[in-house]
Amino acid sequence: MKINNEKERTDSSGWMTIPKWITVQQVDTFGRERAAEYRPQADAPENLHVLVRGTIILPVPKKISGADSERVSGGTADVMPGFQSDEEYELLVAADDHYQIWINGVYRGQGPAASYPEYCYYDSYPIILYPGSSGHRNEEEVHMDPADQTRTAVTIALHLYYHGRISRSWTSGDGRFGVWVSMRRKDEPQKELAHCDESWRYQICKAYRGGTAGYDTQFLENFDSRLWPEGWEKPGFDINDGDTGLWGTLVPALWADYTMMPRPIQMLEERAICPEQQWKKSEAGQMNEVFDFGREITGTFLAEAAGPEGERVVIRYGEELEEVANPDGCSDNFPSVRWDMRCGCAYQEIWTLGRGVSRFHPYDYKGFRYVQLVYPETVKVQEERAWVRHYPMQEDACTLKCVGTIQTEDVGSDAGAVRTQVREPNIGMAEMTGMTEMPQVIETAGTAGMTGMTEMARVTETVGMAGMTGMTEMTRVAETVGTAEMALAAGTELEQIFDICKNAVRCCSQDGYLDCPTREKGQYLGDALITGRSQVWLTGSTDLLRKCIGDFISSQSISPSMMAVAPGSVMQEIADFSLLFPLLPLTDYEFTADKDYLACCYLAVKLLTESFLVYQRPDGLLENAGDLWNLVDWPENLRDGYDFALTRPVVGEGCHNVINALWYGANQMQEQMEEILGLPKTGRTAQIADSYHAVFYREGQHLFADSEMSDHCSLHANLYAAYFGLLPKEAESAYIALLRMPERVCGAFPAYFALKSAAKIGKPDVCFKLMTRSDSYGWRNMLREGASASFEVWGKEQKWNTSLCHGWSSGFIPLFIEEIAGLHPDPSGAGQSRSAGHYKADAPGSFSVESGESERIRHTEGILDGLRFSPPGISGCPDFVLQVPWKGRTLRIVKHGEKTDIFVIECNYIGDKPTEPERREN
């Protein structure tokens, strides 16, 4: 079942490959995890780079009359009189495994979006045939040659790649390698004008070599410029120059059996960025340079270099720095990149220079912040920059700015509040919100809870009227701080936490929700639950979420209980993630109110829950569900002493808590979908709930135990029960006390459900306190350890191979938006919209609306076009301005003192605007 994009499908004939592939046997790499452990890998080349060139001749545009020509040209100098302008075409491109494309020497993008081999997405590149020979107005234009008005040649250059290993990052190792190109008129998409055929030329590129990084995730790219045909993508390149290898001709890929489908998501946003900081030194004839790009990024490093042919440049990538010690043991304070990274990737590559100016051409992406170059003084390196890639995310669409103080309590402590000074935002509150008045905010902090601080004077902020409402003046915050060594560092910690979570989502959102951009690069189902919800809030769009949902539904052709990572050629199954899958389509429904799409997903949910019935015992609980990994939490040291054997590959025999809390949740969510869709309810939840309480509840502790045979009540045994409503009312106090005990901890993934459950049972203040906890098991610890993206775990040393960029720890974003700011998607209110300056609401007077460019809705409860606004009024939370995209509008939620207001700015954000990559010179 495919629900990603059921629009027009395209004939898959015309796939081409290289002659070497005629003898390669395609293999099936898929199956259940245990059965697939030793499944074969195709007997085919690995780490294969192939350069392909072809030319497509476009029809000559029709002549038009001189008068019409004047009308078409509009007086522009580069329109050739006598020809119709702006003939529009579409170039459709697909490949297996991957391609990068240049059209007439201009880089246009890469793809396709990852999928399983039974279907393949194709990408569409618009081409505008524009008469005249002047410069490009944009990358889509192809200009006719004024010297030859009988033909228009378009040069297509493709860098194809076949990974060849069984991995999470690629659906590869199956012996499928090919390319498909088709040119169509935009107004006649069914009519093919030209396609890739035997006239297209290719070269197997020998410039790349190296071992693998991560879990066979990618091959290192030791790049030899002497073996690279510089300028091969340009229209005038001479393929008969044999200095860098011979060019053969493509052959049909007779085995190609793909179902071709249009790309269901936007193209990646790609752009060049410069380093924010740079260090350089020369010592003993060697140059040493370190570049800091300011924060974790996903992408590649680009540079040019000139020097003696054969000289080498060592390139090291890392997420953090380490100091270099001199022989006498004293640091020379010159930074060195930790290229043998914590996550298990050793990112060191060698670039060998060719004649003249060489350019470094990496292909596959990495996750990094720093780059270090080591090279001889005889070499000159320049044009150092990073090429960043991620799914489109408008930087200012969703932001958080805070002003005031954070008042927090150490978890499990009865001590008084510790106050941390937070600076004012860069722009005034009045300008941000359209407020007509904001009184003075005066905060006084003494010395309690701060180390070495001698005094902190008052912070005074005075804001006049400004910005969109006619502000005439604004006086910024005046701060006077004495010796400011504080136990909790001064600064906008809430903003910083929000930003590192946002950056993790940005880095991990590619053509899917990757767990990380380094070690696995796989779209894990559990990670996607949190990364996906964060990404929808940050972008206002659910297209990537739907693509993710479709990927996991497609994995049911391998196992009805779904793969833990999809797509990809590694077979891994995790029961916890599968049972939480219904959260994904329900998240889509929350944000879109699209019942038709939910109905498509329902059949997959039904198939999933039915697949677990083989483990169900007569009382409705699951037992010995060991064909899938029972995760509970990861790594093991964050399982809070969970008292049940979770060994791999065989889980301990018996009936344990977490798998059954999630089993109840899966059935509850299925019945929720049935209620929405008007279907008869399956009706399993009542029996499961009764049995769950009878088997696991311990009256003496008012908590649930880890297993049928245990009395140990871990945090994990209770957090999912609380999240799905299994927690009895009389147990809520014991659960909250358990959450607040400092020694009872969990990892970043279940922490989202733990904190969400606290808010669900009416304790949003506890949710906030845990979100801002100051010990080693919260987001503030990540800040202390220098995070620029949220970590896989709370601290670098809490796991043996910690990833320093992991989207599953971005739960702070939806938690803050929903439980602290009070914005909740509510599909029951979908379609309720503003009319004549007012919003419809369930209760009369729910909203106080003022006319004007910025419309104000005051600290009320109600529904706004599928959104319920219900601020909880948490004490200890600083004043803030939260900006969120919502259905073409921008919402600004302003907390000031005891009030929380919402402002609706019309037409300030378009969530689905496509993003074209910048031009990338090859």
Side-chain angles (χ1 to χ4, degrees):
M1 178 183 179
K2 302 177 183 65
I3 63 170
N4 274 328
N5 197 331
E6 290 292 351
K7 297 188 297 184
E8 163 200 351
R9 297 185 180 186
T10 301
D11 180 19
S12 65
S13 62
W15 275 82
M16 307 296 289
T17 188
I18 59 176
K20 191 173 186 176
W21 228 258
I22 293 176
T23 59
V24 172
Q25 181 67 43
Q26 286 70 51
V27 299
D28 179 9
T29 62
F30 305 111
R32 296 296 298 269
E33 181 176 3
R34 288 194 186 181
E37 187 173 356
Y38 300 104
R39 295 184 75 86
Q41 186 170 289
D43 184 16
E46 299 175 347
N47 193 29
L48 179 69
H49 291 261
V50 175
L51 309 179
V52 173
R53 286 175 53 91
T55 301
I56 291 177
I57 307 299
L58 292 178
V60 176
K62 298 176 181 178
K63 285 190 176 183
I64 55 179
S65 67
D68 287 338
S69 173
E70 182 69 22
R71 174 181 56 79
V72 170
S73 69
T76 56
D78 56 355
V79 174
M80 184 180 296
F83 287 93
Q84 180 176 333
S85 68
D86 292 11
E87 292 280 343
E88 296 189 37
Y89 299 87
E90 287 186 320
L91 185 71
L92 311 183
V93 184
D96 194 348
D97 295 338
H98 197 259
Y99 75 85
Q100 294 177 351
I101 185 170
W102 290 257
I103 300 177
N104 276 4
V106 177
Y107 176 75
R108 294 293 300 277
Q110 59 183 301
S115 66
Y116 285 111
E118 68 265 21
Y119 64 96
C120 183
Y121 294 123
Y122 62 84
D123 300 324
S124 177
Y125 295 94
I127 294 177
I128 301 175
L129 185 60
Y130 191 71
S133 58
S134 64
H136 291 288
R137 292 177 300 180
N138 55 59
E139 294 177 349
E140 299 170 358
E141 292 180 6
V142 173
H143 288 255
M144 295 188 302
D145 184 355
D148 185 358
Q149 299 180 11
T150 63
R151 63 196 299 265
T152 301
V154 181
T155 300
I156 311 299
L158 295 149
H159 185 162
L160 306 181
Y161 182 67
Y162 178 73
H163 180 70
R165 291 280 182 94
I166 302 296
S167 73
R168 298 162 177 82
S169 52
W170 301 91
T171 306
S172 194
D174 53 5
R176 292 172 171 268
F177 172 68
V179 62
W180 180 86
V181 179
S182 178
M183 181 72 83
R184 316 286 174 100
R185 282 186 65 96
K186 188 174 182 179
D187 55 357
E188 296 179 292
Q190 300 299 325
K191 183 179 180 181
E192 184 176 69
L193 301 177
H195 61 266
C196 177
D197 57 23
E198 288 92 337
S199 69
W200 287 45
R201 308 296 292 274
Y202 80 93
Q203 179 190 115
I204 295 177
C205 182
K206 302 292 188 181
Y208 300 87
R209 60 181 176 79
T212 59
Y215 299 145
D216 282 345
T217 303
Q218 69 182 96
F219 285 87
L220 295 175
E221 296 175 339
N222 296 311
F223 183 75
D224 193 335
S225 290
R226 298 171 298 180
L227 304 177
W228 176 259
E230 194 68 55
W232 69 277
E233 78 284 2
K234 304 293 184 184
F237 180 76
D238 183 8
I239 63 173
N240 295 314
D241 181 0
D243 284 352
T244 55
L246 299 176
W247 292 75
T249 57
L250 296 178
V251 298
L254 301 177
W255 46 263
D257 56 357
Y258 304 98
T259 298
M260 305 295 292
M261 298 173 64
R263 184 183 184 95
I265 54 177
Q266 299 178 58
M267 298 296 290
L268 294 179
E269 179 180 326
E270 303 183 59
R271 66 188 186 279
I273 64 170
C274 295
E276 293 190 4
Q277 199 170 3
Q278 179 177 346
W279 298 267
K280 187 174 184 178
K281 75 171 183 177
S282 174
E283 186 176 7
Q286 291 284 321
M287 297 300 299
N288 197 329
E289 291 189 88
V290 174
F291 304 92
D292 178 4
F293 291 95
R295 64 186 181 189
E296 180 96 13
I297 60 174
T298 300
T300 58
F301 177 74
L302 303 177
E304 297 179 359
E309 183 178 1
E311 285 285 20
R312 295 183 171 189
V313 178
V314 178
I315 305 176
R316 298 167 179 157
Y317 307 78
E319 296 176 304
E320 55 187 325
L321 296 175
E322 56 188 4
E323 288 191 348
V324 177
N326 286 327
D328 59 4
C330 298
S331 171
D332 63 2
N333 294 320
F334 190 85
S336 180
V337 172
R338 181 170 176 167
W339 58 271
D340 194 355
M341 295 159 55
R342 293 177 187 272
C343 64
C345 294
Y347 281 163
Q348 177 174 271
E349 297 171 337
I350 306 297
W351 173 20
T352 303
L353 304 185
R355 291 194 300 267
V357 176
S358 298
R359 295 178 177 85
F360 185 57
H361 296 286
Y363 190 89
D364 201 356
Y365 66 89
K366 300 175 176 68
F368 62 96
R369 173 177 174 173
Y370 302 97
V371 172
Q372 183 173 13
L373 304 182
V374 180
Y375 54 91
E377 288 183 340
T378 55
V379 172
K380 181 180 180 181
V381 181
Q382 59 187 13
E383 300 297 327
E384 303 97 337
R385 59 204 186 280
W387 186 256
V388 177
R389 49 169 280 173
H390 55 77
Y391 200 70
M393 179 183 292
Q394 187 172 319
E395 189 70 29
D396 60 353
C398 187
T399 59
L400 175 65
K401 298 293 180 183
C402 296
V403 59
T405 59
I406 305 173
Q407 299 180 28
T408 63
E409 240 175 80
D410 287 339
V411 175
S413 171
D414 294 327
V418 178
R419 310 184 72 183
T420 303
Q421 181 59 42
V422 183
R423 64 170 170 80
E424 53 117 7
N426 291 331
I427 53 180
M429 297 283 287
E431 185 179 8
M432 284 291 291
T433 65
M435 295 173 67
T436 57
E437 178 180 349
M438 187 176 186
Q440 290 186 338
V441 179
I442 301 177
E443 303 283 359
T444 304
T447 58
M450 301 182 184
T451 303
M453 178 174 172
T454 57
E455 67 170 313
M456 175 178 259
R458 292 184 174 183
V459 178
T460 306
E461 180 173 73
T462 304
V463 181
M465 294 187 298
M468 291 174 289
T469 59
M471 179 167 109
T472 57
E473 66 170 323
M474 181 181 79
T475 303
R476 294 197 172 190
V477 173
E479 288 187 292
T480 303
V481 180
T483 306
E485 295 180 4
M486 293 177 279
L488 298 176
T492 55
E493 289 186 301
L494 288 181
E495 292 179 30
Q496 292 167 4
I497 294 170
F498 193 93
D499 287 345
I500 65 171
C501 291
K502 180 178 177 179
N503 192 38
V505 174
R506 179 191 296 108
C507 291
C508 294
S509 296
Q510 300 293 319
D511 285 331
Y513 297 126
L514 307 186
D515 65 328
C516 65
T518 51
R519 189 180 60 224
E520 289 101 349
K521 295 186 182 179
Q523 181 173 249
Y524 271 86
L525 176 48
D527 302 60
L529 294 166
I530 298 175
T531 307
R533 193 170 187 91
S534 298
Q535 191 263 348
V536 172
W537 274 120
L538 290 168
T539 63
S541 174
T542 62
D543 54 352
L544 189 58
L545 174 67
R546 289 191 172 190
K547 197 265 183 185
C548 168
I549 292 169
D551 289 337
F552 285 103
I553 290 178
S554 293
S555 78
Q556 288 185 301
S557 64
I558 305 170
S559 170
S561 57
M562 294 187 177
M563 292 291 104
V565 57
S569 50
V570 161
M571 301 294 100
Q572 189 171 4
E573 299 176 79
I574 300 176
D576 313 50
F577 291 176
S578 294
L579 292 171
L580 283 166
F581 168 78
L583 271 177
L584 286 175
L586 284 171
T587 294
D588 179 88
Y589 178 71
E590 282 186 84
F591 283 86
T592 67
D594 188 342
K595 290 186 179 181
D596 292 337
Y597 183 79
L598 189 69
C600 292
C601 300
Y602 169 74
L603 294 177
V605 170
K606 186 172 184 291
L607 178 62
L608 185 152
T609 55
E610 288 175 348
S611 73
F612 279 86
L613 293 177
V614 297
Y615 310 114
Q616 189 178 41
R617 63 190 197 182
D619 64 355
L621 299 181
L622 301 184
E623 188 173 53
N624 301 328
D627 292 322
L628 299 84
W629 185 14
N630 292 200
L631 184 70
V632 175
D633 203 344
W634 193 250
E636 298 101 321
N637 53 295
L638 294 179
R639 285 176 176 160
D640 192 31
Y642 193 75
D643 188 15
F644 190 80
L646 299 173
T647 54
R648 295 191 69 196
V650 181
V651 177
E653 292 188 1
C655 179
H656 74 98
N657 182 308
V658 167
I659 196 73
N660 280 287
L662 294 172
W663 171 236
Y664 173 83
N667 283 277
Q668 182 191 72
M669 290 184 285
Q670 179 179 336
E671 291 183 9
Q672 182 182 350
M673 295 172 74
E674 290 164 348
E675 182 176 355
I676 294 168
L677 298 171
L679 300 173
K681 288 192 176 181
T682 304
R684 299 191 194 105
T685 54
Q687 182 195 23
I688 298 171
D690 290 344
S691 298
Y692 182 88
H693 190 277
V695 169
F696 298 115
Y697 192 64
R698 301 295 181 260
E699 292 283 353
Q701 301 181 63
H702 294 293
L703 292 170
F704 292 104
D706 298 347
S707 75
E708 190 172 30
M709 307 301 294
S710 174
D711 289 328
H712 181 263
C713 300
S714 69
L715 181 55
H716 301 75
N718 290 272
L719 64 89
Y720 290 117
Y723 181 85
F724 289 114
L726 286 167
L727 195 69
K729 186 70 176 176
E730 67 271 13
E732 290 179 358
S733 296
Y735 174 61
I736 294 300
L738 178 65
L739 281 176
R740 299 190 65 181
M741 297 177 74
E743 70 277 9
R744 309 302 291 273
V745 297
C746 65
F749 175 74
Y752 169 78
F753 298 93
L755 274 59
K756 191 79 173 177
S757 66
K760 278 190 171 189
I761 63 177
K763 299 293 183 180
D765 55 331
V766 173
C767 176
F768 179 72
K769 285 181 171 64
L770 292 169
M771 288 170 65
T772 56
R773 62 189 297 167
S774 60
D775 64 359
S776 298
Y777 297 96
W779 283 283
R780 292 169 85 175
N781 190 60
M782 296 184 192
L783 296 183
R784 283 196 295 270
E785 296 190 6
S788 65
S790 52
F791 298 163
E792 179 182 12
V793 288
W794 304 115
K796 294 177 179 179
E797 303 297 335
Q798 292 176 14
K799 191 170 184 279
W800 67 93
N801 60 348
T802 301
S803 160
L804 301 188
C805 179
H806 233 72
W808 82 347
S809 56
S810 67
F812 185 93
I813 291 172
L815 285 169
F816 191 93
I817 293 173
E818 296 167 24
E819 308 306 337
I820 309 306
L823 286 178
H824 298 271
D826 191 337
S828 67
Q832 298 188 17
S833 58
R834 181 169 61 91
S835 176
H838 295 280
Y839 286 93
K840 298 176 183 178
D842 283 351
S846 292
F847 295 140
S848 171
V849 184
E850 299 174 0
S851 61
E853 189 175 3
S854 173
E855 294 177 314
R856 182 179 185 179
I857 304 171
R858 285 187 176 273
H859 51 89
T860 58
E861 296 187 6
I863 294 177
L864 166 66
D865 193 10
L867 189 69
R868 177 167 49 87
F869 179 49
S870 180
I874 296 170
S875 62
C877 180
D879 294 344
F880 62 79
V881 178
L882 172 69
Q883 180 165 294
V884 176
W886 185 260
K887 298 185 178 180
R889 305 181 179 98
T890 293
L891 306 182
R892 288 184 181 139
I893 298 87
V894 182
K895 179 186 179 298
H896 173 57
E898 299 300 318
K899 296 180 179 180
T900 303
D901 297 344
I902 184 169
F903 300 82
V904 183
I905 313 300
E906 294 291 330
C907 302
N908 198 45
Y909 172 73
I910 300 180
D912 294 323
K913 182 179 179 181
T915 304
E916 286 288 330
E918 291 184 6
R919 184 173 303 184
R920 174 178 174 176
E921 299 299 333
N922 194 46

